[in-house]
Amino acid sequence: MRNLLAIATLITGTLFVVSCSDDDAPVDLDAPVVTAPSASSAQVGTDVTIDFPYTAAAGFTSSALSGVTGGTATVTTDGTAGATSGTITVTFSATTVGAGSVTLTVTDAEGDTGNATGVVTISASDVPEIEDIPATASIEAEMELSVDATINMEDLPGTLNITKNGDAFGTEIAITTDGQTVTFAYTPTIDEANTNLTFVFTAEDSDGDTDEVTHVLTVTAPDFPTVVVDENISTDVTWTAGNIYELATRVTVVSGGSLTIEPGTVIKGQLGQGEASTALLVARGGSINAVGTADDPIIFTSVTDELIPGQIVSPNLEGDVTGLWGGVIILGNDLISVSAGTENQIDGIPPSDTNGLYGGSDDTDDSGDFSYVSIRHAGTDIGDGDEINGLTLGAVGAATTISWVEIVANKDDGIEWFGGSVDMTGALVWNNGDDALDSDEAWNGDLTNFLVVNPGKSAFELDGPEGAYINAAKPNHTFSDGLVYIPSAADWTLDVDENSNVNLSDIYFYGYPTTDPAGTQDYAAMIAFANSTSSLTSCEYTFPAGVTYTEADVFAGIPDAELTAVDANANMVGPTDATGFEWTFAYQSGALSSIGL
């Protein structure tokens, strides 16, 4: 019995010992092992990938980078969670010549870590590099920006090219030394005020490697003081190009007063209708000396126009915006033909203002000089559908000089003569709302070298004398060496009265629509008028191909011998290009080139 008990006790103890061995502590697995990669090399500005093989018996949890020198580093391919082995890829971006390094640490599921360091030998880049060009800058128009750029280039020779707003700027620059200094200088024009200019610099070495840098230059407008003019001029006054003059009312240069306007000056009329219309009026006995140049024309425009001195094309108003202010009126003491007396009140000026009277007996009257002047967006309605012309000339005498005048988008007529004998050369009327060229009351001067583009009603409205007076020595006024582009909006190519006193010659007519062209009114009656010496001679025209109307439909009553059909812009009479008109809004906006000039 004792033996059986002993055996049982022995068995129980044995079982207990076996049971205790099942509850032993877990095996302590090895910490992660990261293998250091072979040394790498890179050039400044380039990337290199570094692979770090690892083992993690307890399973991968995370990785981290530290000790980065000579550049920047990111993990681009990480380990897989729970994986016991794998490869972690690091991208190293070299920035500094010398020794670079990056240390990768792997952590496993037991919190144990292992790490290794990758070494990168960094050398200078042989890819071109442009330095010292700022990304942005700001400068006032007509001020110079100058920057010294450094071109780093090992593979020589090379080149540097620059573009401005996508177009080639300057000539290609040869790069012959590493670290060569190139001076970039630019002076923005006044037309570039309130714009951003984008310059792109591209360096290319002999291997075809390139570097590109973009610079955006913001051009600001100079500060031009505004001088508000709200009273008449009775003494000698000069308006200077350093200011913008704003007409706050109808400003009159009264008898005895003189206004001189410097080249490049900008005058703006405030908004107003009726008798409140703003305008510049030169009364009988007053004088204006507004003599611009082709480089610096004098510009009359609206206060809504953001144009500043030095600019030709408006930054905000198109060339067809009409009726924003009055216009320019010059009056003199020359003879006129009216139904009664020798003087009259000019259209556009209320009868209450006697400064609006014109006419007299002095055909050598001198109202001054008026040259290289652009008058824009004028022609406000002063009542009963009566608007002011772009340029009104009432009884202006032969001693007055008028040349190179542009009228843009006037609501009424472009230029209108009321008697007088002043001559004019170099006129352009573009986008006027009524008649382009209008004559009345026995004007007997000459207009030569002129362009009429897009008249609203008639290219010519030429009225005859209203009274007994007509200049016996030179009874007719003349229009010669002209070009008329007349689209569908116009009513008449030539509108005359039976007693009109005019000779037209060497004019080219074109731009007609395919149907309903502007015709001619009362030409035959004018020629048949008693003692008439009026005529139209030596003119050419172009009609669109395939039209059904004829020469007689457009030029009714004009002899065939005086008209010659030619191909578009193949004219032998009148201006054949825009020579002399390059200074105008119409030219610089592209309106003239669009019609073949």
Side-chain angles (χ1 to χ4, degrees):
M1 187 65 170
R2 289 179 184 163
N3 290 337
L4 289 173
L5 182 59
I7 292 170
T9 300
L10 179 61
I11 293 172
T12 302
T14 301
L15 291 172
F16 177 79
V17 171
V18 173
S19 175
C20 286
S21 67
D22 288 341
D23 293 335
D24 287 346
V27 176
D28 189 12
L29 300 176
D30 292 337
V33 175
V34 183
T35 303
S38 301
S40 302
S41 62
Q43 293 180 338
V44 171
T46 64
D47 296 338
V48 62
T49 56
I50 305 172
D51 290 333
F52 289 86
Y54 72 91
T55 59
F60 174 84
T61 298
S62 64
S63 65
L65 299 177
S66 61
V68 180
T69 61
T72 60
T74 57
V75 173
T76 50
T77 303
D78 209 353
T80 302
T84 57
S85 65
T87 298
I88 296 173
T89 299
V90 173
T91 297
F92 181 88
S93 300
T95 60
T96 306
V97 174
S101 64
V102 56
T103 298
L104 173 72
T105 299
V106 171
T107 302
D108 67 11
E110 293 182 347
D112 293 329
T113 61
N115 61 68
T117 298
V119 176
V120 181
T121 301
I122 305 170
S123 59
S125 172
D126 61 2
V127 174
E129 182 181 22
I130 304 172
E131 294 182 336
D132 304 323
I133 296 289
T136 61
S138 179
I139 195 169
E140 186 177 289
E142 299 187 324
M143 301 294 289
E144 184 181 67
L145 171 73
S146 182
V147 176
D148 289 334
T150 300
I151 313 301
N152 298 316
M153 186 178 293
E154 291 186 4
D155 298 322
L156 298 167
T159 58
L160 177 69
N161 286 281
I162 307 171
T163 62
K164 171 190 162 191
N165 291 345
D167 297 323
F169 177 79
T171 58
E172 186 174 81
I173 300 168
I175 305 301
T176 57
T177 59
D178 189 15
Q180 181 173 327
T181 298
V182 175
T183 299
F184 168 71
Y186 184 71
T187 302
T189 66
I190 198 72
D191 284 332
E192 293 170 331
N194 300 317
T195 65
N196 288 327
L197 307 177
T198 300
F199 294 91
V200 177
F201 300 78
T202 303
E204 182 174 358
D205 65 16
S206 59
D207 287 342
D209 295 323
T210 61
D211 185 31
E212 184 176 283
V213 171
T214 298
H215 170 79
V216 178
L217 178 62
T218 298
V219 183
T220 60
D223 182 19
F224 291 98
T226 297
V227 178
V228 177
V229 184
D230 57 5
E231 58 185 16
N232 291 343
I233 296 169
S234 58
T235 59
D236 293 341
V237 172
T238 298
W239 290 352
T240 61
N243 300 319
I244 293 175
Y245 292 85
E246 192 171 297
L247 305 178
T249 184
R250 183 171 64 253
V251 176
T252 301
V253 182
V254 301
S255 181
S258 176
L259 173 62
T260 297
I261 305 177
E262 291 184 348
T265 303
V266 172
I267 302 97
K268 298 185 178 183
Q270 291 183 3
L271 300 176
Q273 298 289 326
E275 293 191 10
S277 297
T278 59
L280 179 65
L281 167 63
V282 181
R284 290 186 298 185
S287 177
I288 185 167
N289 294 284
V291 182
T293 67
D295 291 330
D296 292 300
I298 295 165
I299 298 176
F300 287 84
T301 186
S302 164
V303 73
T304 61
D305 194 341
E306 296 173 3
L307 185 92
I308 59 177
Q311 293 181 328
I312 299 298
V313 176
S314 170
N316 67 306
L317 291 183
E318 297 294 331
D320 57 0
V321 179
T322 69
L324 300 181
W325 67 289
V328 177
I329 303 170
I330 303 175
L331 306 179
N333 290 288
D334 202 347
L335 290 88
I336 61 175
S337 182
V338 289
S339 58
T342 59
E343 65 180 19
N344 203 4
Q345 183 77 9
I346 198 69
D347 289 352
I349 302 300
S352 59
D353 185 354
T354 58
N355 287 312
L357 289 170
Y358 66 99
S361 59
D362 185 2
D363 59 6
T364 62
D365 189 36
D366 186 358
S367 296
D369 294 341
F370 198 78
S371 299
Y372 286 103
V373 179
S374 180
I375 303 171
R376 309 174 178 183
H377 315 297
T380 50
D381 191 335
I382 64 169
D384 297 326
D386 189 12
E387 298 93 13
I388 302 175
N389 304 307
L391 176 62
T392 300
L393 302 169
V396 177
T400 307
T401 300
I402 302 180
S403 62
W404 300 111
V405 175
E406 177 188 38
I407 310 297
V408 178
N410 199 78
K411 189 176 181 180
D412 194 38
D413 297 343
I415 304 171
E416 186 164 6
W417 296 262
F418 294 87
S421 53
V422 65
D423 295 331
M424 183 185 300
T425 186
L428 172 86
V429 180
W430 173 41
N431 285 344
N432 64 291
D434 198 2
D435 307 312
L437 303 171
D438 193 337
S439 62
D440 305 90
E441 301 174 2
W443 173 51
N444 68 328
D446 303 320
L447 173 62
T448 61
N449 189 22
F450 63 90
L451 306 178
V452 170
V453 181
N454 295 344
K457 183 179 178 182
S458 302
F460 299 93
E461 183 178 20
L462 312 177
D463 298 326
E466 296 181 6
Y469 165 74
I470 192 167
N471 188 313
K474 184 181 182 295
N476 295 347
H477 58 287
T478 69
F479 294 93
S480 63
D481 192 23
L483 177 147
V484 175
Y485 183 87
I486 186 163
S488 57
D491 294 331
W492 300 104
T493 295
L494 176 61
D495 181 8
V496 296
D497 293 341
E498 64 174 8
N499 69 331
S500 294
N501 57 319
V502 62
N503 299 116
L504 304 100
S505 63
D506 299 306
I507 302 171
Y508 173 49
F509 299 90
Y510 73 125
Y512 290 98
T514 55
T515 59
D516 195 23
T520 296
Q521 180 166 251
D522 290 337
Y523 182 86
M526 178 182 71
I527 300 303
F529 190 74
N531 302 315
S532 174
T533 57
S534 296
S535 64
L536 181 147
T537 59
S538 302
C539 291
E540 296 177 345
Y541 67 89
T542 300
F543 293 157
V547 298
T548 58
Y549 58 81
T550 66
E551 177 186 290
D553 294 323
V554 176
F555 301 104
I558 300 174
D560 289 344
E562 305 300 341
L563 297 165
T564 302
V566 298
D567 292 336
N569 296 106
N571 51 303
M572 300 297 290
V573 301
T576 57
D577 55 33
T579 299
F581 294 95
E582 295 89 348
W583 62 277
T584 63
F585 186 2
Y587 178 89
Q588 296 200 19
S589 68
L592 297 188
S593 63
S594 71
I595 61 171
L597 296 179

